Amino acid sequence: MSTLAVMRLELRRLMVQPLAWVLAALTLAWLAWRFVLLLGQFLGMQIRLAALPDGPGFTDIVAVPLLAQLAFLAFLVVPLLTMSALAGERRAGTLALMAGMGLPPSRIVLGKYLALLAWLLLWLLLALAMPLALARATSLDWGKLAAAALGLALLLAALAALGLACSAFAAHPAIAAAAALALALALWTVNLGARMAGLDGGAINWLAMSTHLQPLLRGLVSSADLAWFGLLVALALALAVRRVADEKERD
Amino acid sequence: MTMPSPLLRLDKLRRRRAGRPAVKDLSLTLDRGQVLGLLGVNGAGKSTTLAMVAGALRPDGGAIALDGRDFLEHPELARRLLGWLPERAPLWPELTVAEHLDAHGRLRGLAGAALRRAREDALARLELAPLARRLAGVLSQGQRQRLGLACALLHRPALLVLDEPANALDPVQVAALRALVREEAANGAAVILSTHLLAEVTAVCDRVAILHEGTLRHEGPLAGTDAAALERRFFEIAMGGEAKAA
């Protein structure tokens, strides 16, 4: 019940803050522009594609690249959305107030996380609406699109948890945003050196976020990739809960 | 026949802040219907004490019993029993006055008709009804303080913890605040309020506790104590006269 109350409060705050709307409007406008360009490219390739027996279709050339663009934008958008979630509340004194209401730290963190996730999934749905609008006019590969959408949803869930953890630890929202961006980029590129050296396996590749997202964007769903995202979310949220619980001990 | 336990019991409460003891072995009790004034100069440990009583800070040592139960073991008691107004009313600037009350009500488990009733009642009692749709971010300091108080009172808590509640209020609002505190006490709530204004204490409190450098130096009923005697006692403690005499 209190998790839902925190979630409702956080959603309301997101809905009335200009930042969330400005970010949504700008990114969706950018995605719409990219969608039009990708669609034009797809239409221009029609004759060549018709000659290929197993050539790429609308999903490969338009829908999945559009979602890959959204993944790129998420690295910037999510830290900006999550930065104030706990760091801002701490500065305003409302985090202590919530603790003074007897709310367990786990419910505060979970409520905020679910609200952020709801907003981000709505953002994903609006981006997905673009290729889905042409579902009747083209032949969509529903399985591939569902796998890519699942990958994006997992990426957003992981970035939101990471951002929330950074917001729990940082004293200032701007520091939380910078830390979340740096951590997300580090997780994405941690295996860059290994890949350049031609190493495809190993722990360093397992650690990298790109290793687990790219198969999903190609339509391959494996439980190992789902577990990786699940572990990252659980770890980040556990750290955030621990830090919020420590608020009562602060100097 | 057993005596009913006090609503609040602090037992040898200790807390360090910024590397120095902020509260040292503080013990006191508060019964239902009583108003306790916590007096002290700035830095005496009043806000630290109230933050611990409110459940926002964990003591380094000692015990807090709320309604006969260990509050440190059961912080969820605060949800139903406790209302807290910190020194500067913490608000969400992007939410309206009514949205604040709704959010506080939901966080405390109120819903539906009970929440609506509590919101309307709080708006009326704190004279916030005309401001119900105004954003908290544009309220004046006094209005913010009244909204913070409304949020603390919303669920009719058994214990009201007020940290400098008269901050930024004009004289008319201060008089209204005093009446409100007395009304809460008359309805059976216990109130603990911190202030450095002696007049505030003599006007609304039944008992007074004077803190100095984190230590409880004086505690007792106000009845029979005139304002001048309390003032003398306060300055004696605040200026270190007591320590010198000792």
Side-chain angles (χ1 to χ4, degrees):
Chain A
M1 184 72 179
S2 48
T3 306
L4 280 181
V6 175
M7 180 188 170
R8 196 167 167 172
L9 168 63
E10 193 64 18
L11 259 181
R12 180 69 194 148
R13 293 183 60 217
L14 275 174
M15 293 298 168
V16 296
Q17 276 173 2
L19 178 68
W21 289 110
V22 169
L23 285 174
L26 289 177
T27 52
L28 287 170
W30 166 258
L31 288 172
W33 171 240
R34 293 291 302 170
F35 177 66
V36 170
L37 291 180
L38 288 165
L39 195 60
Q41 193 183 345
F42 174 66
L43 292 174
M45 293 163 77
Q46 285 294 296
I47 297 167
R48 269 190 293 150
L49 290 176
L52 297 170
D54 265 332
F58 176 76
T59 311
D60 302 288
I61 294 174
V62 180
V64 172
L66 185 76
L67 291 181
Q69 283 290 314
L70 185 125
F72 166 73
L73 291 173
F75 279 83
L76 297 171
V77 167
V78 179
L80 290 174
L81 269 185
T82 55
M83 64 181 183
S84 295
L86 290 163
E89 295 260 25
R90 187 186 296 111
R91 287 175 73 81
T94 42
L95 193 58
L97 195 68
M98 283 201 235
M101 288 181 196
L103 292 174
S106 56
R107 295 194 184 178
I108 295 175
V109 170
L110 195 61
K112 284 179 172 289
Y113 178 68
L114 292 175
L116 287 163
L117 200 56
W119 194 95
L120 290 169
L121 291 180
L122 182 69
W123 185 50
L124 172 61
L125 273 179
L126 288 172
L128 266 176
M130 295 177 212
L132 288 177
L134 295 180
R136 278 170 171 263
T138 59
S139 53
L140 266 175
D141 182 339
W142 288 100
K144 197 176 270 186
L145 187 62
L150 174 66
L152 255 294
L154 289 170
L155 174 77
L156 293 175
L159 292 178
L162 213 55
L164 206 55
C166 290
S167 186
F169 280 90
H172 195 284
I175 297 170
L181 177 65
L183 267 177
L185 287 177
L187 265 178
W188 186 262
T189 57
V190 68
N191 65 339
L192 209 59
R195 284 177 65 191
M196 285 169 81
L199 299 172
D200 280 338
I204 197 92
N205 275 318
W206 181 85
L207 202 62
M209 195 183 273
S210 51
T211 308
H212 304 280
L213 181 66
Q214 277 158 0
L216 286 160
L217 289 178
R218 288 199 303 270
L220 301 170
V221 180
S222 85
S223 50
D225 294 332
L226 302 187
W228 187 89
F229 280 107
L231 276 175
L232 180 59
V233 169
L235 179 68
L237 291 184
L239 286 172
V241 169
R242 178 76 190 268
R243 181 63 188 85
V244 172
D246 285 348
E247 283 294 307
K248 289 189 180 185
E249 322 282 347
R250 79 183 195 281
D251 235 13
Chain B
M1 203 172 87
T2 55
M3 291 285 285
S5 62
L7 179 69
L8 177 71
R9 179 190 292 278
L10 309 183
D11 189 22
K12 295 188 174 171
L13 220 51
R14 280 183 290 113
R15 184 65 157 91
R16 290 180 72 85
R17 288 188 96 169
R20 65 172 193 89
V23 176
K24 296 180 245 180
D25 291 328
L26 176 67
S27 298
L28 55 83
T29 61
L30 188 64
D31 289 321
R32 287 168 180 78
Q34 282 190 335
V35 183
L36 172 73
L38 204 55
L39 268 177
V41 294
N42 289 332
K46 304 187 298 292
S47 292
T48 304
T49 302
L50 294 192
M52 287 192 286
V53 170
L57 272 185
R58 195 186 308 283
D60 295 332
I64 302 174
L66 185 59
D67 202 21
R69 295 177 70 190
D70 185 344
F71 184 44
L72 301 177
E73 283 294 312
H74 300 281
E76 72 279 1
L77 289 172
R79 201 171 180 213
R80 190 171 45 89
L81 293 176
L82 210 144
W84 176 40
L85 172 66
E87 197 174 346
R88 277 180 295 273
L91 303 172
W92 294 285
E94 63 276 15
L95 297 190
T96 66
V97 168
E99 283 170 342
H100 267 86
L101 294 170
D102 285 346
H104 275 259
R106 285 193 200 99
L107 290 170
R108 293 194 181 276
L110 298 177
L115 174 60
R116 279 195 298 277
R117 259 199 315 276
R119 181 188 62 207
E120 295 310 316
D121 185 43
L123 285 171
R125 292 180 80 198
L126 273 298
E127 296 175 5
L128 287 166
L131 306 172
R133 301 181 74 172
R134 193 169 294 180
L135 291 176
V138 299
L139 295 178
S140 70
Q141 201 56 37
Q143 290 166 341
R144 290 174 61 92
Q145 196 72 357
R146 274 155 58 207
L147 175 55
L149 197 55
C151 292
L153 283 167
L154 185 74
H155 58 300
R156 295 289 176 134
L159 174 63
L160 202 49
V161 180
L162 308 176
D163 197 351
E164 312 269 5
N167 266 356
L169 297 185
D170 63 40
V172 176
Q173 289 166 347
V174 169
L177 169 74
R178 288 173 181 171
L180 194 81
V181 169
R182 288 311 323 173
E183 191 186 322
E184 285 295 310
N187 290 334
V191 183
I192 175 166
L193 66 90
S194 85
T195 178
H196 43 243
L197 302 174
L198 293 166
E200 204 56 47
V201 173
T202 51
V204 292
C205 298
D206 307 304
R207 288 170 54 208
V208 63
I210 303 177
L211 276 179
H212 188 64
E213 292 174 351
T215 308
L216 184 64
R217 295 290 179 85
H218 171 93
E219 202 262 319
L222 262 177
T225 309
D226 63 75
L230 178 65
E231 190 175 341
R232 269 199 308 279
R233 183 78 182 122
F234 177 75
F235 277 105
E236 225 173 64
I237 292 168
M239 307 296 282
E242 190 187 55
K244 280 176 199 155

PDB file of all heavy atoms in Angstrom, chain B residues 29-53:
ATOM      1  N   THR B  29       9.479  11.881  29.792  1.00  0.00           N
ATOM      2  CA  THR B  29       8.230  11.213  29.395  1.00  0.00           C
ATOM      3  C   THR B  29       7.195  12.274  29.037  1.00  0.00           C
ATOM      4  O   THR B  29       7.306  13.430  29.451  1.00  0.00           O
ATOM      5  CB  THR B  29       7.661  10.348  30.537  1.00  0.00           C
ATOM      6  OG1 THR B  29       7.390  11.204  31.642  1.00  0.00           O
ATOM      7  CG2 THR B  29       8.611   9.233  30.923  1.00  0.00           C
ATOM      8  N   LEU B  30       6.208  11.837  28.266  1.00  0.00           N
ATOM      9  CA  LEU B  30       5.134  12.752  27.866  1.00  0.00           C
ATOM     10  C   LEU B  30       3.836  11.962  27.822  1.00  0.00           C
ATOM     11  O   LEU B  30       3.760  10.906  27.187  1.00  0.00           O
ATOM     12  CB  LEU B  30       5.459  13.351  26.481  1.00  0.00           C
ATOM     13  CG  LEU B  30       4.563  14.462  25.972  1.00  0.00           C
ATOM     14  CD1 LEU B  30       4.653  15.689  26.872  1.00  0.00           C
ATOM     15  CD2 LEU B  30       4.953  14.861  24.557  1.00  0.00           C
ATOM     16  N   ASP B  31       2.829  12.489  28.524  1.00  0.00           N
ATOM     17  CA  ASP B  31       1.524  11.809  28.554  1.00  0.00           C
ATOM     18  C   ASP B  31       0.574  12.401  27.518  1.00  0.00           C
ATOM     19  O   ASP B  31       0.794  13.512  27.023  1.00  0.00           O
ATOM     20  CB  ASP B  31       0.895  11.968  29.947  1.00  0.00           C
ATOM     21  CG  ASP B  31       1.626  11.130  30.975  1.00  0.00           C
ATOM     22  OD1 ASP B  31       2.014  10.006  30.640  1.00  0.00           O
ATOM     23  OD2 ASP B  31       1.822  11.630  32.105  1.00  0.00           O
ATOM     24  N   ARG B  32      -0.484  11.674  27.276  1.00  0.00           N
ATOM     25  CA  ARG B  32      -1.528  12.161  26.363  1.00  0.00           C
ATOM     26  C   ARG B  32      -2.114  13.457  26.923  1.00  0.00           C
ATOM     27  O   ARG B  32      -2.302  13.577  28.127  1.00  0.00           O
ATOM     28  CB  ARG B  32      -2.624  11.117  26.217  1.00  0.00           C
ATOM     29  CG  ARG B  32      -2.205   9.925  25.393  1.00  0.00           C
ATOM     30  CD  ARG B  32      -3.197   8.794  25.517  1.00  0.00           C
ATOM     31  NE  ARG B  32      -2.770   7.653  24.699  1.00  0.00           N
ATOM     32  CZ  ARG B  32      -1.822   6.794  25.055  1.00  0.00           C
ATOM     33  NH1 ARG B  32      -1.192   6.940  26.204  1.00  0.00           N
ATOM     34  NH2 ARG B  32      -1.492   5.798  24.253  1.00  0.00           N
ATOM     35  N   GLY B  33      -2.386  14.401  26.038  1.00  0.00           N
ATOM     36  CA  GLY B  33      -3.002  15.655  26.462  1.00  0.00           C
ATOM     37  C   GLY B  33      -2.021  16.682  26.998  1.00  0.00           C
ATOM     38  O   GLY B  33      -2.413  17.787  27.353  1.00  0.00           O
ATOM     39  N   GLN B  34      -0.737  16.312  27.043  1.00  0.00           N
ATOM     40  CA  GLN B  34       0.257  17.262  27.550  1.00  0.00           C
ATOM     41  C   GLN B  34       0.963  17.986  26.403  1.00  0.00           C
ATOM     42  O   GLN B  34       1.145  17.410  25.330  1.00  0.00           O
ATOM     43  CB  GLN B  34       1.328  16.535  28.357  1.00  0.00           C
ATOM     44  CG  GLN B  34       0.884  16.169  29.751  1.00  0.00           C
ATOM     45  CD  GLN B  34       2.060  15.670  30.582  1.00  0.00           C
ATOM     46  OE1 GLN B  34       3.050  15.185  30.049  1.00  0.00           O
ATOM     47  NE2 GLN B  34       1.924  15.801  31.889  1.00  0.00           N
ATOM     48  N   VAL B  35       1.366  19.225  26.698  1.00  0.00           N
ATOM     49  CA  VAL B  35       2.179  19.975  25.728  1.00  0.00           C
ATOM     50  C   VAL B  35       3.519  20.275  26.398  1.00  0.00           C
ATOM     51  O   VAL B  35       3.559  20.940  27.431  1.00  0.00           O
ATOM     52  CB  VAL B  35       1.483  21.295  25.312  1.00  0.00           C
ATOM     53  CG1 VAL B  35       2.315  22.019  24.262  1.00  0.00           C
ATOM     54  CG2 VAL B  35       0.083  21.023  24.773  1.00  0.00           C
ATOM     55  N   LEU B  36       4.570  19.743  25.812  1.00  0.00           N
ATOM     56  CA  LEU B  36       5.907  19.942  26.362  1.00  0.00           C
ATOM     57  C   LEU B  36       6.671  20.928  25.482  1.00  0.00           C
ATOM     58  O   LEU B  36       6.772  20.732  24.268  1.00  0.00           O
ATOM     59  CB  LEU B  36       6.662  18.612  26.414  1.00  0.00           C
ATOM     60  CG  LEU B  36       8.145  18.696  26.780  1.00  0.00           C
ATOM     61  CD1 LEU B  36       8.326  19.006  28.264  1.00  0.00           C
ATOM     62  CD2 LEU B  36       8.882  17.419  26.433  1.00  0.00           C
ATOM     63  N   GLY B  37       7.198  21.963  26.113  1.00  0.00           N
ATOM     64  CA  GLY B  37       8.018  22.921  25.378  1.00  0.00           C
ATOM     65  C   GLY B  37       9.479  22.579  25.558  1.00  0.00           C
ATOM     66  O   GLY B  37       9.942  22.405  26.691  1.00  0.00           O
ATOM     67  N   LEU B  38      10.191  22.444  24.457  1.00  0.00           N
ATOM     68  CA  LEU B  38      11.617  22.128  24.507  1.00  0.00           C
ATOM     69  C   LEU B  38      12.364  23.422  24.220  1.00  0.00           C
ATOM     70  O   LEU B  38      12.337  23.922  23.095  1.00  0.00           O
ATOM     71  CB  LEU B  38      11.907  21.070  23.439  1.00  0.00           C
ATOM     72  CG  LEU B  38      13.121  20.168  23.606  1.00  0.00           C
ATOM     73  CD1 LEU B  38      13.107  19.457  24.945  1.00  0.00           C
ATOM     74  CD2 LEU B  38      13.146  19.142  22.474  1.00  0.00           C
ATOM     75  N   LEU B  39      12.993  23.953  25.245  1.00  0.00           N
ATOM     76  CA  LEU B  39      13.674  25.245  25.122  1.00  0.00           C
ATOM     77  C   LEU B  39      15.180  25.040  25.021  1.00  0.00           C
ATOM     78  O   LEU B  39      15.708  24.073  25.556  1.00  0.00           O
ATOM     79  CB  LEU B  39      13.402  26.078  26.369  1.00  0.00           C
ATOM     80  CG  LEU B  39      12.223  27.037  26.388  1.00  0.00           C
ATOM     81  CD1 LEU B  39      12.125  27.685  27.757  1.00  0.00           C
ATOM     82  CD2 LEU B  39      12.368  28.114  25.323  1.00  0.00           C
ATOM     83  N   GLY B  40      15.828  25.949  24.358  1.00  0.00           N
ATOM     84  CA  GLY B  40      17.289  25.891  24.306  1.00  0.00           C
ATOM     85  C   GLY B  40      17.800  26.879  23.274  1.00  0.00           C
ATOM     86  O   GLY B  40      17.074  27.234  22.342  1.00  0.00           O
ATOM     87  N   VAL B  41      19.041  27.271  23.452  1.00  0.00           N
ATOM     88  CA  VAL B  41      19.634  28.180  22.466  1.00  0.00           C
ATOM     89  C   VAL B  41      19.920  27.387  21.190  1.00  0.00           C
ATOM     90  O   VAL B  41      19.811  26.157  21.185  1.00  0.00           O
ATOM     91  CB  VAL B  41      20.951  28.809  23.000  1.00  0.00           C
ATOM     92  CG1 VAL B  41      20.666  29.725  24.171  1.00  0.00           C
ATOM     93  CG2 VAL B  41      21.948  27.726  23.380  1.00  0.00           C
ATOM     94  N   ASN B  42      20.299  28.080  20.113  1.00  0.00           N
ATOM     95  CA  ASN B  42      20.642  27.371  18.876  1.00  0.00           C
ATOM     96  C   ASN B  42      21.792  26.404  19.138  1.00  0.00           C
ATOM     97  O   ASN B  42      22.763  26.758  19.798  1.00  0.00           O
ATOM     98  CB  ASN B  42      21.070  28.370  17.786  1.00  0.00           C
ATOM     99  CG  ASN B  42      19.890  29.180  17.289  1.00  0.00           C
ATOM    100  OD1 ASN B  42      18.749  28.707  17.320  1.00  0.00           O
ATOM    101  ND2 ASN B  42      20.146  30.397  16.844  1.00  0.00           N
ATOM    102  N   GLY B  43      21.639  25.195  18.623  1.00  0.00           N
ATOM    103  CA  GLY B  43      22.695  24.191  18.811  1.00  0.00           C
ATOM    104  C   GLY B  43      22.591  23.440  20.124  1.00  0.00           C
ATOM    105  O   GLY B  43      23.476  22.652  20.461  1.00  0.00           O
ATOM    106  N   ALA B  44      21.490  23.641  20.843  1.00  0.00           N
ATOM    107  CA  ALA B  44      21.340  22.962  22.140  1.00  0.00           C
ATOM    108  C   ALA B  44      21.016  21.481  21.974  1.00  0.00           C
ATOM    109  O   ALA B  44      21.161  20.706  22.920  1.00  0.00           O
ATOM    110  CB  ALA B  44      20.255  23.651  22.960  1.00  0.00           C
ATOM    111  N   GLY B  45      20.530  21.106  20.786  1.00  0.00           N
ATOM    112  CA  GLY B  45      20.183  19.697  20.554  1.00  0.00           C
ATOM    113  C   GLY B  45      18.685  19.469  20.393  1.00  0.00           C
ATOM    114  O   GLY B  45      18.225  18.324  20.370  1.00  0.00           O
ATOM    115  N   LYS B  46      17.925  20.568  20.286  1.00  0.00           N
ATOM    116  CA  LYS B  46      16.455  20.446  20.193  1.00  0.00           C
ATOM    117  C   LYS B  46      16.043  19.711  18.915  1.00  0.00           C
ATOM    118  O   LYS B  46      15.269  18.749  18.964  1.00  0.00           O
ATOM    119  CB  LYS B  46      15.792  21.841  20.201  1.00  0.00           C
ATOM    120  CG  LYS B  46      16.130  22.713  21.387  1.00  0.00           C
ATOM    121  CD  LYS B  46      15.313  23.982  21.404  1.00  0.00           C
ATOM    122  CE  LYS B  46      15.531  24.903  20.207  1.00  0.00           C
ATOM    123  NZ  LYS B  46      16.868  25.519  20.155  1.00  0.00           N
ATOM    124  N   SER B  47      16.561  20.176  17.769  1.00  0.00           N
ATOM    125  CA  SER B  47      16.143  19.573  16.493  1.00  0.00           C
ATOM    126  C   SER B  47      16.599  18.128  16.384  1.00  0.00           C
ATOM    127  O   SER B  47      15.882  17.284  15.844  1.00  0.00           O
ATOM    128  CB  SER B  47      16.691  20.383  15.310  1.00  0.00           C
ATOM    129  OG  SER B  47      16.065  21.635  15.279  1.00  0.00           O
ATOM    130  N   THR B  48      17.805  17.837  16.896  1.00  0.00           N
ATOM    131  CA  THR B  48      18.297  16.446  16.881  1.00  0.00           C
ATOM    132  C   THR B  48      17.376  15.568  17.723  1.00  0.00           C
ATOM    133  O   THR B  48      17.003  14.466  17.307  1.00  0.00           O
ATOM    134  CB  THR B  48      19.736  16.394  17.419  1.00  0.00           C
ATOM    135  OG1 THR B  48      20.543  17.266  16.640  1.00  0.00           O
ATOM    136  CG2 THR B  48      20.308  14.992  17.360  1.00  0.00           C
ATOM    137  N   THR B  49      16.997  16.081  18.886  1.00  0.00           N
ATOM    138  CA  THR B  49      16.090  15.320  19.755  1.00  0.00           C
ATOM    139  C   THR B  49      14.773  15.046  19.032  1.00  0.00           C
ATOM    140  O   THR B  49      14.278  13.910  19.011  1.00  0.00           O
ATOM    141  CB  THR B  49      15.813  16.109  21.059  1.00  0.00           C
ATOM    142  OG1 THR B  49      17.060  16.355  21.691  1.00  0.00           O
ATOM    143  CG2 THR B  49      14.892  15.352  21.985  1.00  0.00           C
ATOM    144  N   LEU B  50      14.208  16.101  18.429  1.00  0.00           N
ATOM    145  CA  LEU B  50      12.906  15.925  17.778  1.00  0.00           C
ATOM    146  C   LEU B  50      13.012  15.002  16.560  1.00  0.00           C
ATOM    147  O   LEU B  50      12.092  14.226  16.295  1.00  0.00           O
ATOM    148  CB  LEU B  50      12.322  17.289  17.366  1.00  0.00           C
ATOM    149  CG  LEU B  50      11.950  18.206  18.534  1.00  0.00           C
ATOM    150  CD1 LEU B  50      11.124  19.391  18.041  1.00  0.00           C
ATOM    151  CD2 LEU B  50      11.174  17.479  19.618  1.00  0.00           C
ATOM    152  N   ALA B  51      14.128  15.085  15.825  1.00  0.00           N
ATOM    153  CA  ALA B  51      14.299  14.186  14.666  1.00  0.00           C
ATOM    154  C   ALA B  51      14.367  12.730  15.124  1.00  0.00           C
ATOM    155  O   ALA B  51      13.865  11.833  14.448  1.00  0.00           O
ATOM    156  CB  ALA B  51      15.551  14.571  13.893  1.00  0.00           C
ATOM    157  N   MET B  52      14.966  12.505  16.292  1.00  0.00           N
ATOM    158  CA  MET B  52      15.007  11.127  16.823  1.00  0.00           C
ATOM    159  C   MET B  52      13.620  10.688  17.267  1.00  0.00           C
ATOM    160  O   MET B  52      13.189   9.570  17.000  1.00  0.00           O
ATOM    161  CB  MET B  52      15.997  11.041  17.990  1.00  0.00           C
ATOM    162  CG  MET B  52      17.447  11.104  17.540  1.00  0.00           C
ATOM    163  SD  MET B  52      18.597  10.662  18.857  1.00  0.00           S
ATOM    164  CE  MET B  52      18.531  12.106  19.902  1.00  0.00           C
ATOM    165  N   VAL B  53      12.908  11.605  17.931  1.00  0.00           N
ATOM    166  CA  VAL B  53      11.539  11.273  18.377  1.00  0.00           C
ATOM    167  C   VAL B  53      10.646  10.991  17.166  1.00  0.00           C
ATOM    168  O   VAL B  53       9.798  10.102  17.201  1.00  0.00           O
ATOM    169  CB  VAL B  53      10.963  12.437  19.223  1.00  0.00           C
ATOM    170  CG1 VAL B  53       9.478  12.239  19.477  1.00  0.00           C
ATOM    171  CG2 VAL B  53      11.709  12.547  20.543  1.00  0.00           C
TER     172      VAL B  53
END
